[in-house]
Amino acid sequence: MDYNPLKMPCDWNVARKHALARRTAPDTKAHHDEDDDEEPKKPETCPCCGFEIERKEIPYCDDIKSLKFLGAGFPLFYNFLKFCILLLCLQSLVAIFNVLSNYHGEFCEQQSLNPVSQQMEPNCQDSLFLKLSIANKLNNSEVVVFIQKANLIMLIIMIILLQFFRRHQKKLDNQIDESQLTPSDYTIMVTNIPKTLNVNYRWELTNLFQNYAVSDTNFQITVTKVVLVYDITEITAEEAKIEKSLQKKKIALQTSNMKYDCQDVRDCELEIETSQKRIKDLQEEYFWTNRQFSGIAFVSFESEKMKDLVLSQNTHTLLDKVKTFLYSGKTPGLDEMELQWQAQKLFLEQAPEPNDILWENLATLTQDKIVARIKGFFITIIVQGITFFFIYYLSIRCIRLVYNEELEKRRIGVDDKEKLKNVQTISFAIASTIVLVNKILIEPLMKWITKIEKISTNTKFQISYANKLTISLFVNAAIVSYVIDILIFSNVYGFGGFLYNESLIFIMNAAIAPLIWFIDPWTLIRKLQRDHQAQKVNDCLLTQKEANEIMEEVDYQLAMRYADIIKTMWFTFFFGTAIPIGVFSSLIGLCLFYLIDKYNILRRRTVKESISQELSWQMINMLEFIVLFNSLGNTVVSLFLNQNFDIFSTIGVIIGLSFQILPIHRCVDSMFPIRNFEEPVSYKKAQIEFDTDYDRENPVTKQKAIAEYSLQLQGITQDRKVEYQIMHEDHY
């Protein structure tokens, strides 16, 4: 069927079918089995996205490998989450003894002279948080030393487990790759192709790779598809014009009481049709004349073995790319055996999945990307500084207000218990502010900043977003309180002090994230939007594209989850020794997070991009900082509570720094290599299994490629029906 994304009024049946096609569930392609007596059915595809509508729902209790059809990134994420829960379970073994020894401590109950009121008072406020913290055993140095020894042993165990986990993730990735057929298994990305040549690039690249890409002339390389990448600035400009005309059309429809034949509406439709025709003409022009060709292409081969051989024989270094950038594409000192085109070295790399690519950014010039990254870096610093000083100023004002009044009351000998409750209320308000600022303000801000950076793939976008968000969340949750309570007020275990405030943050951090994901306000808002628009019937002003989007479930944001988890792990291992109940809070919080998030992705989310394993490797690198943070946290607390450096914590810091600096995991990988699996299936046989492909995602070729794919599916189904009929005629 002809699909018009700007159709008004929209067809809600089409929108519902689109929503079914975008569910988090694998499709049920009609794979014909010779022993199967059931006649093959024609698979129905969504005309908007090309995805099959019929899908098989995944049971909640299924293994995480069931998500492999989304790409390796999602099973690896849930495996990562389970490993974090395992680390917290191990750390809780130390925390159990720590909590028990804290509870039986006596320091908080002992009294000392208050220099302000000149009265004997308990060392700590009457709080269960402080009674279960390290403050309650400050007078028992033997137990404190034992805990530090246990932490050092646990540190070494964590380093070993992290190496095993990294290998386990790679094995899982290989298993997923072995069981899934995807376009990237057969495809490379080629960059630095000369842009302005009057040639047939597809033919030239096919000829280049089939005849000159490998040195072994006895091994025949077969190129099956070449997809060129274009600068689509003109197309996006026309799409912006369409958006403006649509808004004008909607206003005209409202003012004319939904009369589609009024002159203003017709004028807007004419503008839209003109822009649509212009986009179609641009797509045809780009495809046939190579105008706006970006110098990037995706080349697919008949087998994965061919792809791997081409990649292995055509390597490049960072220095090669730097020289090429400095010489405007030309590569000085090229060897005649290197794959090149008009003195430009062709850079080959493993292609990302088609739906992992941000096509609007892929053609961005290198110098523009550099400027965008620098701009994003400085904006990140500014935003982090503003949020830091916002929380800092709010905390200082609140604490000083109550603290000064409390000092005055005590100076004159009045013990106002209500004022002590106010201190606890202020502490709760500060902890709530930190958690809510992190959740409501920081997350969207960091996502907006990452968009500025013009990143070319969703995986790299998610890595950049997760890194920024993790650091920002950790700074706000841990460093701000440390600066205020310890460095400024030197209030570690007093009223509204460091240990009390951080205990509250631990509990709220563990409770709020799972609670928000359980309530899922984004899904509730989407449902209200659907109901509101569906009630309008003939008065609905949504285009078909907007109706499709509103019928979809909410997009799944993987980076946000990673950031939440790693921030929790950093925070827990940084302060877990001083506040052992925080270990249990985080453990419970991550367990709830796992159960709720798994339900959400299976039933209440749409996954639109394929995230590669690169995100998981980067997040493991981030997770490994817990080794250093655990020792640093112990050293900091020991310094301010005991006024000296603890020898075991210092050794831990040295081990943690060495672990970060030395390439330990690379050494382990070289000692125990994991064999990569090569797909035995040819590209021509595998392509029908692909949910998408590079030409079906490319904005220039997308519509034509989706239509051709639908016809191809119908043809394959028809061939299978013929086979079915012949088989049964022979049978009878």
Side-chain angles (χ1 to χ4, degrees):
M1 62 176 287
D2 292 331
Y3 172 72
N4 180 10
L6 304 180
K7 177 185 175 183
M8 292 178 67
C10 63
D11 186 335
W12 285 107
N13 288 327
V14 172
R16 290 187 187 95
K17 286 183 177 181
H18 172 75
L20 290 173
R22 296 304 317 200
R23 285 179 299 160
T24 306
D27 57 34
T28 54
K29 289 185 174 71
H31 305 301
H32 179 59
D33 190 340
E34 292 181 359
D35 299 327
D36 192 358
D37 291 335
E38 186 178 350
E39 183 176 350
K41 297 179 181 178
K42 170 188 170 183
E44 185 180 3
T45 59
C46 173
C48 162
C49 58
F51 281 74
E52 290 189 25
I53 292 171
E54 187 179 355
R55 294 186 169 266
K56 184 179 180 181
E57 190 174 86
I58 300 173
Y60 177 79
C61 294
D62 260 21
D63 189 82
I64 57 171
K65 291 180 184 177
S66 302
L67 294 171
K68 62 188 178 184
F69 71 97
L70 297 173
F74 291 89
L76 292 176
F77 164 71
Y78 284 102
N79 208 41
F80 177 92
L81 179 51
K82 290 198 289 187
F83 179 70
C84 290
I85 292 172
L86 172 64
L87 288 180
L88 289 177
C89 286
L90 290 174
Q91 191 64 21
S92 66
L93 298 178
V94 178
I96 289 172
F97 178 81
N98 205 355
V99 167
L100 291 175
S101 60
N102 291 342
Y103 182 78
H104 291 97
E106 300 175 348
F107 180 79
C108 284
E109 296 177 359
Q110 293 177 355
Q111 294 190 345
S112 59
L113 181 66
N114 187 312
V116 178
S117 62
Q118 295 297 312
Q119 296 178 1
M120 297 296 290
E121 297 178 358
N123 289 323
C124 312
Q125 63 171 302
D126 186 15
S127 167
L128 182 62
F129 290 156
L130 292 178
K131 192 169 185 178
L132 297 177
S133 74
I134 196 172
N136 202 29
K137 61 183 179 193
L138 286 179
N139 58 345
N140 192 341
S141 59
E142 292 181 0
V143 178
V144 173
V145 169
F146 177 81
I147 293 294
Q148 299 294 15
K149 289 180 181 178
N151 281 330
L152 187 59
I153 295 171
M154 192 61 66
L155 199 72
I156 296 169
I157 294 173
M158 279 195 299
I159 291 174
I160 297 171
L161 286 176
L162 282 164
Q163 301 314 304
F164 277 106
F165 174 64
R166 191 182 282 272
R167 284 182 55 77
H168 183 261
Q169 286 288 77
K170 290 184 178 180
K171 286 183 179 179
L172 177 60
D173 177 48
N174 274 6
Q175 291 171 9
I176 293 168
D177 182 57
E178 182 178 347
S179 63
Q180 290 291 106
L181 296 172
T182 65
S184 71
D185 291 331
Y186 304 87
T187 307
I188 63 172
M189 185 169 73
V190 187
T191 59
N192 201 39
I193 304 169
K195 300 179 185 179
T196 55
L197 305 181
N198 186 22
V199 297
N200 184 336
Y201 278 103
R202 294 173 190 82
W203 186 90
E204 293 288 350
L205 286 167
T206 300
N207 178 63
L208 185 69
F209 280 99
Q210 289 189 160
N211 297 308
Y212 305 102
V214 296
S215 57
D216 186 359
T217 55
N218 295 322
F219 190 87
Q220 180 60 46
I221 299 294
T222 304
V223 174
T224 55
K225 184 183 288 186
V226 176
V227 177
L228 304 181
V229 178
Y230 305 90
D231 182 351
I232 58 172
T233 305
E234 291 176 317
I235 293 177
T236 53
E238 290 298 328
E239 289 173 344
K241 288 181 184 178
I242 290 174
E243 190 60 37
K244 288 182 181 178
S245 299
L246 272 174
Q247 297 306 317
K248 286 166 59 180
K249 180 181 177 180
K250 291 178 180 181
I251 294 171
L253 283 169
Q254 285 179 317
T255 54
S256 65
N257 197 23
M258 301 301 292
K259 292 180 180 178
Y260 282 86
D261 58 350
C262 84
Q263 189 60 44
D264 288 342
V265 174
R266 288 181 177 179
D267 290 342
C268 292
E269 288 177 343
L270 182 60
E271 292 176 5
I272 292 170
E273 288 174 8
T274 302
S275 292
Q276 282 182 309
K277 185 177 183 304
R278 172 64 176 156
I279 289 174
K280 190 173 182 180
D281 291 342
L282 286 172
Q283 290 171 337
E284 290 291 323
E285 181 186 358
Y286 292 176
F287 186 83
W288 293 111
T289 69
N290 300 321
R291 191 171 76 82
Q292 299 293 68
F293 174 53
S294 66
I296 303 171
F298 292 99
V299 180
S300 300
F301 299 92
E302 182 61 18
S303 70
E304 187 174 8
K305 184 178 181 180
M306 294 180 188
K307 179 207 72 174
D308 290 340
L309 185 62
V310 169
L311 284 175
S312 64
Q313 294 193 15
N314 297 276
T315 59
H316 62 270
T317 64
L318 178 60
L319 182 60
D320 290 332
K321 285 200 166 187
V322 171
K323 287 193 296 185
T324 300
F325 173 71
L326 295 176
Y327 285 87
S328 302
K330 303 294 181 182
T331 312
L334 269 178
D335 187 282
E336 63 178 10
M337 296 301 294
E338 292 184 275
L339 196 63
Q340 55 187 285
W341 193 342
Q342 291 200 346
Q344 293 188 197
K345 180 179 173 65
L346 299 184
F347 297 125
L348 279 53
E349 57 187 86
Q350 170 63 49
E353 294 294 347
N355 52 353
D356 187 24
I357 300 167
L358 296 172
W359 294 88
E360 65 275 17
N361 295 336
L362 190 58
T364 304
L365 297 175
T366 302
Q367 54 265 37
D368 294 336
K369 287 185 178 181
I370 293 172
V371 171
R373 306 289 162 81
I374 294 172
K375 182 180 176 182
F377 173 77
F378 282 108
I379 294 176
T380 302
I381 297 297
I382 292 169
V383 168
Q384 184 59 63
I386 291 172
T387 54
F388 181 95
F389 282 106
F390 169 73
I391 298 172
Y392 170 82
Y393 177 77
L394 181 67
S395 302
I396 289 290
R397 291 281 295 179
C398 293
I399 291 172
R400 278 181 176 166
L401 177 66
V402 177
Y403 190 67
N404 290 339
E405 291 184 11
E406 178 62 20
L407 287 178
E408 181 62 22
K409 289 281 186 180
R410 294 194 172 207
R411 187 182 66 80
I412 60 177
V414 177
D415 186 12
D416 190 347
K417 292 184 178 180
E418 288 298 319
K419 191 58 63 178
L420 302 184
K421 292 181 180 179
N422 288 345
V423 173
Q424 295 175 340
T425 303
I426 290 296
S427 297
F428 180 80
I430 293 171
S432 302
T433 300
I434 291 172
V435 173
L436 292 176
V437 164
N438 281 346
K439 202 70 188 168
I440 298 172
L441 184 63
I442 295 299
E443 287 179 0
L445 271 176
M446 291 302 161
K447 187 174 183 179
W448 172 76
I449 292 170
T450 309
K451 286 181 179 179
I452 294 174
E453 296 177 341
K454 298 185 182 297
I455 296 172
S456 57
T457 68
N458 276 300
T459 297
K460 291 178 181 176
F461 179 93
Q462 300 279 347
I463 289 172
S464 179
Y465 177 36
N467 287 343
K468 291 185 186 69
L469 188 55
T470 300
I471 294 170
S472 184
L473 295 179
F474 178 71
V475 167
N476 289 342
I479 307 303
V480 174
S481 295
Y482 171 77
V483 170
I484 294 170
D485 294 329
I486 295 182
L487 296 185
I488 296 178
F489 286 100
S490 298
N491 186 6
V492 180
Y493 47 81
F495 287 97
F498 172 76
L499 294 175
Y500 185 86
N501 290 341
E502 292 303 305
S503 297
L504 281 174
I505 292 176
F506 262 119
I507 292 172
M508 296 189 69
N509 180 62
I512 286 180
L515 181 63
I516 290 176
W517 293 123
F518 177 75
I519 297 172
D520 197 8
W522 301 277
T523 296
L524 294 177
I525 292 169
R526 181 66 59 89
K527 187 176 184 303
L528 290 173
Q529 289 174 333
R530 286 186 204 133
D531 295 342
H532 175 68
Q533 294 295 338
Q535 288 173 359
K536 291 185 177 182
V537 191
N538 296 326
D539 294 335
C540 181
L541 292 171
L542 295 180
T543 63
Q544 189 62 55
K545 181 182 178 183
E546 291 168 338
N548 289 356
E549 290 173 351
I550 209 172
M551 285 302 297
E552 290 175 355
E553 298 295 346
V554 179
D555 288 354
Y556 188 88
Q557 299 292 330
L558 192 55
M560 193 185 299
R561 271 82 172 175
Y562 265 123
D564 259 338
I565 294 165
I566 295 173
K567 175 260 299 180
T568 298
M569 295 297 289
W570 284 6
F571 188 58
T572 303
F573 281 87
F574 197 72
F575 294 131
T577 300
I579 311 170
I581 60 167
V583 177
F584 302 110
S585 297
S586 297
L587 177 59
I588 294 169
L590 286 191
C591 288
L592 292 174
F593 185 96
Y594 177 85
L595 296 173
I596 294 168
D597 195 71
K598 186 178 179 184
Y599 175 82
N600 281 347
I601 194 173
L602 292 176
R603 304 290 182 264
R604 302 197 289 192
R605 287 294 181 274
T606 291
V607 179
K608 290 188 176 180
E609 62 272 347
S610 176
I611 304 298
S612 77
Q613 66 274 19
E614 293 300 322
L615 178 60
S616 178
W617 309 152
Q618 182 61 33
M619 293 303 102
I620 293 174
N621 292 339
M622 297 284 281
L623 178 65
E624 287 177 344
F625 276 101
I626 62 173
V627 175
L628 178 60
F629 286 162
N630 182 248
S631 303
L632 281 176
N634 294 340
T635 302
V636 166
V637 172
S638 176
L639 179 63
F640 280 91
L641 288 178
N642 302 319
Q643 305 299 313
N644 59 27
F645 282 100
D646 175 67
I647 183 62
F648 298 104
S649 297
T650 305
I651 293 172
V653 171
I654 295 170
I655 293 174
L657 285 171
S658 302
F659 181 62
Q660 291 301 319
I661 295 170
L662 299 176
I664 295 175
H665 68 269
R666 290 193 180 93
C667 295
V668 173
D669 289 344
S670 62
M671 291 169 61
F672 307 100
I674 298 173
R675 185 180 65 87
N676 289 326
F677 174 81
E678 289 185 353
E679 299 289 355
V681 183
S682 69
Y683 178 88
K684 288 181 180 178
K685 290 182 179 179
Q687 62 179 333
I688 197 61
E689 305 290 335
F690 300 160
D691 264 342
T692 187
D693 208 340
Y694 296 95
D695 52 355
R696 280 185 268 158
E697 294 291 337
N698 190 327
V700 173
T701 59
K702 181 175 182 177
Q703 291 181 332
K704 185 178 179 182
I706 287 175
E708 289 176 353
Y709 174 70
S710 297
L711 291 173
Q712 187 182 15
L713 275 181
Q714 293 174 24
I716 289 173
T717 306
Q718 188 63 37
D719 291 343
R720 287 174 177 171
K721 284 185 177 181
V722 171
E723 291 174 6
Y724 171 84
Q725 291 170 357
I726 293 172
M727 181 184 69
H728 279 264
E729 285 174 2
D730 292 343
H731 177 74
Y732 290 110

